Amino acid sequence: YMKIFLIGPPCSGKSSIAEYISKKYNIQYFRFKVLVNNYITENNKYSKFLIKNNYENKPYSPEMSFDVLKTYFHSENDYILDNYPKNIDELKYLKKEYIDKEKVFVILVETKKNILLKRLNIRLYCKECNLTFNSNNINLNQCPICQTRLSRRIDDTEEIFMIRYKQYLRNKNNLIREFNEFSNIIKIENNTNSHDILFQEIDSKIKF
């Protein structure tokens, strides 16, 4: 069973890449942040401040993140997972409980910092779909899925971006080193705002 993990800094295009691969290869796509929000809503076990922690890229407690995995994941399913694991402890738990090491792919998305900051400034959010969009790629600031008016996410500030970015850099090498022991790592350079160019890059490097 195929497991695909995306690693990359905020605003690097992980969601766009995951959605494209999900549709092309008919693989279920999970956004960990959405799973957490669903879990909190459905179970009421954890307080709402944990969503604030997610905005600021503070790690969830191991108990909570593992509860989310137990609720939504099954080791026999194919899936793409975006924005998880974020640190080595989360990866070791995944490896122990959910990963078939023979069919693991890691997509490492790399983007220049100045481009990440530019994307941050044009990013808009749909509260209904829980999705983000590049304002250059949509019309009239409306969600292309549900037509809800888009707005800025409360966490889309340069201060919070830098918290996320620095945390990503601290964890990146350890995650890659651990993944390297049992997975195929595919590097994608995403320094463009063109989805066509990005998807061409994906198609040239990814052959499942």
Side-chain angles (χ1 to χ4, degrees):
Y1 296 96
M2 186 183 300
K3 318 296 181 190
I4 304 169
F5 300 91
L6 281 95
I7 297 175
C11 300
S12 59
K14 297 186 298 295
S15 296
S16 296
I17 292 170
E19 288 168 5
Y20 177 74
I21 294 172
S22 173
K23 290 176 182 177
K24 181 168 183 176
Y25 293 96
N26 193 28
I27 301 172
Q28 189 169 11
Y29 167 36
F30 293 105
R31 299 178 70 212
F32 194 74
K33 176 183 173 182
V34 173
L35 296 182
V36 168
N37 292 351
N38 290 346
Y39 185 85
I40 291 171
T41 300
E42 292 169 6
N43 292 275
N44 238 352
K45 184 176 179 180
Y46 297 94
S47 65
K48 290 288 184 180
F49 84 91
L50 287 164
I51 295 179
K52 180 176 183 295
N53 280 10
N54 188 39
Y55 284 144
E56 298 178 357
N57 219 37
K58 295 177 182 177
Y60 300 118
S61 69
E63 178 190 9
M64 178 179 180
S65 64
F66 301 159
D67 278 355
V68 171
L69 293 176
K70 290 173 185 176
T71 301
Y72 297 106
F73 278 68
H74 302 284
S75 59
E76 67 272 14
N77 293 341
D78 294 343
Y79 60 76
I80 303 172
L81 183 58
D82 174 9
N83 215 26
Y84 192 93
K86 288 186 177 180
N87 58 56
I88 199 69
D89 291 334
E90 291 174 348
L91 174 52
K92 287 181 176 178
Y93 180 84
L94 269 173
K95 203 165 74 168
K96 177 182 176 183
E97 300 291 338
Y98 295 98
I99 292 178
D100 175 356
K101 296 178 184 178
E102 294 180 359
K103 293 186 178 179
V104 173
F105 297 86
V106 175
I107 299 174
L108 174 62
V109 188
E110 300 210 320
T111 305
K112 295 176 182 177
K113 181 181 173 184
N114 65 313
I115 292 176
L116 297 173
L117 287 167
K118 287 180 181 177
R119 290 179 186 165
L120 177 73
N121 291 326
I122 60 173
R123 191 158 76 163
L124 294 173
Y125 174 62
C126 176
K127 294 180 180 179
E128 295 298 321
C129 300
N130 206 2
L131 295 173
T132 55
F133 300 92
N134 182 332
S135 61
N136 289 340
N137 296 332
I138 57 176
N139 296 319
L140 302 176
N141 290 343
Q142 288 185 329
C143 175
I145 298 171
C146 70
Q147 281 69 58
T148 297
R149 185 162 183 82
L150 302 174
S151 59
R152 293 275 292 174
R153 270 176 29 175
I154 63 172
D155 58 323
D156 274 352
T157 67
E158 188 167 336
E159 179 183 5
I160 294 177
F161 168 86
M162 289 307 302
I163 293 172
R164 293 174 167 176
Y165 186 70
K166 289 176 181 177
Q167 186 184 48
Y168 164 74
L169 292 179
R170 284 196 301 270
N171 289 309
K172 172 187 169 183
N173 289 338
N174 285 336
L175 286 172
I176 294 300
R177 192 177 301 115
E178 187 79 15
F179 268 125
N180 249 328
E181 294 181 3
F182 61 89
S183 65
N184 298 291
I185 296 182
I186 302 164
K187 183 177 176 181
I188 298 291
E189 295 279 356
N190 183 17
N191 292 303
T192 176
N193 285 328
S194 167
H195 278 171
D196 289 340
I197 293 173
L198 172 61
F199 297 157
Q200 287 173 13
E201 170 83 357
I202 294 169
D203 289 339
S204 70
K205 292 187 175 180
I206 296 178
K207 307 291 181 185
F208 296 130

